[in-house]
Amino acid sequence: MQDKEKRAAEVYEQLCVMLDKMDFHYSKEGKDKDGDYVILFSFTGDDLPMQFVMFMDVDRQLIRLMSKMPFAFSEEKRVDGAVVVSRANYRMVDGNFDYNFQTGEIIFKVTTSFLDSIIGEELFRYMIGLGVSMVDEFNDKFLAVDKGAMSVAEFLAKY
């Protein structure tokens, strides 16, 4: 088995090469405090700005893509938030929204392993495309429920 650190660095560089070929604007952050390799990027969707981070998790040999919503459910809407986030997750094939009931924060994430695996550009494209499409689809609807512009019943009827 190949050294974990070396394999994570290879996958990180492979991702950067693909992003460069796409003329993708991103920030190559290097290693974080946990020793994982990090890339940051953002997108402007149909409504709210979207911030993403991708980690090459050295210890667990994972690629993790995450996006924190730029808002949190207000305290009085936390139960509504739990219902709509749960419904959004139920409809997804890959990825999920993590919901912190205590804070109202929502983070989208999708993870895949590169342990003893051949990783290609299509996987990176899939993960990024999935993240952008899911966050763009739901971020404004979650915010609308929080602000009272959409009811839980309307959200459930739509999804």
Side-chain angles (χ1 to χ4, degrees), residues 70-89:
F71 65 92
F73 273 96
S74 56
E75 199 167 333
E76 61 275 3
K77 292 287 189 167
R78 299 257 168 92
V79 172
D80 290 352
V83 172
V84 298
V85 169
S86 177
R87 180 57 169 243
N89 282 336

Side-chain angles (χ1 to χ4, degrees), residues 26 91 96 112:
Y26 67 99
R91 305 282 301 190
N96 68 284
T112 194

Side-chain angles (χ1 to χ4, degrees), residues 6-115:
K6 183 178 178 188
R7 180 66 177 136
E10 288 172 355
V11 173
Y12 181 68
E13 289 304 319
Q14 190 178 359
L15 173 58
C16 292
V17 166
M18 186 220 51
L19 294 174
D20 290 340
K21 281 189 346 189
M22 293 174 55
D23 200 27
F24 201 90
H25 298 285
Y26 67 99
S27 174
K28 188 175 179 179
E29 299 292 304
K31 293 179 88 172
D32 67 4
K33 64 178 176 42
D34 296 324
D36 298 330
Y37 293 90
V38 179
I39 290 176
L40 304 174
F41 59 92
S42 60
F43 274 93
T44 303
D46 293 332
D47 34 63
L48 300 174
M50 300 177 282
Q51 303 293 320
F52 292 88
V53 59
M54 287 185 84
F55 299 94
M56 303 316 116
D57 187 319
V58 174
D59 288 335
R60 297 184 291 172
Q61 299 285 275
L62 298 173
I63 303 167
R64 298 183 296 131
L65 177 136
M66 302 172 80
S67 179
K68 184 176 178 183
M69 301 297 112
F71 65 92
F73 273 96
S74 56
E75 199 167 333
E76 61 275 3
K77 292 287 189 167
R78 299 257 168 92
V79 172
D80 290 352
V83 172
V84 298
V85 169
S86 177
R87 180 57 169 243
N89 282 336
Y90 176 75
R91 305 282 301 190
M92 269 186 243
V93 174
D94 282 333
N96 68 284
F97 289 100
D98 282 349
Y99 180 62
N100 184 327
F101 187 78
Q102 300 298 322
T103 65
E105 293 177 329
I106 309 162
I107 299 173
F108 177 81
K109 72 176 184 178
V110 62
T111 305
T112 194
S113 174
F114 56 86
L115 179 66

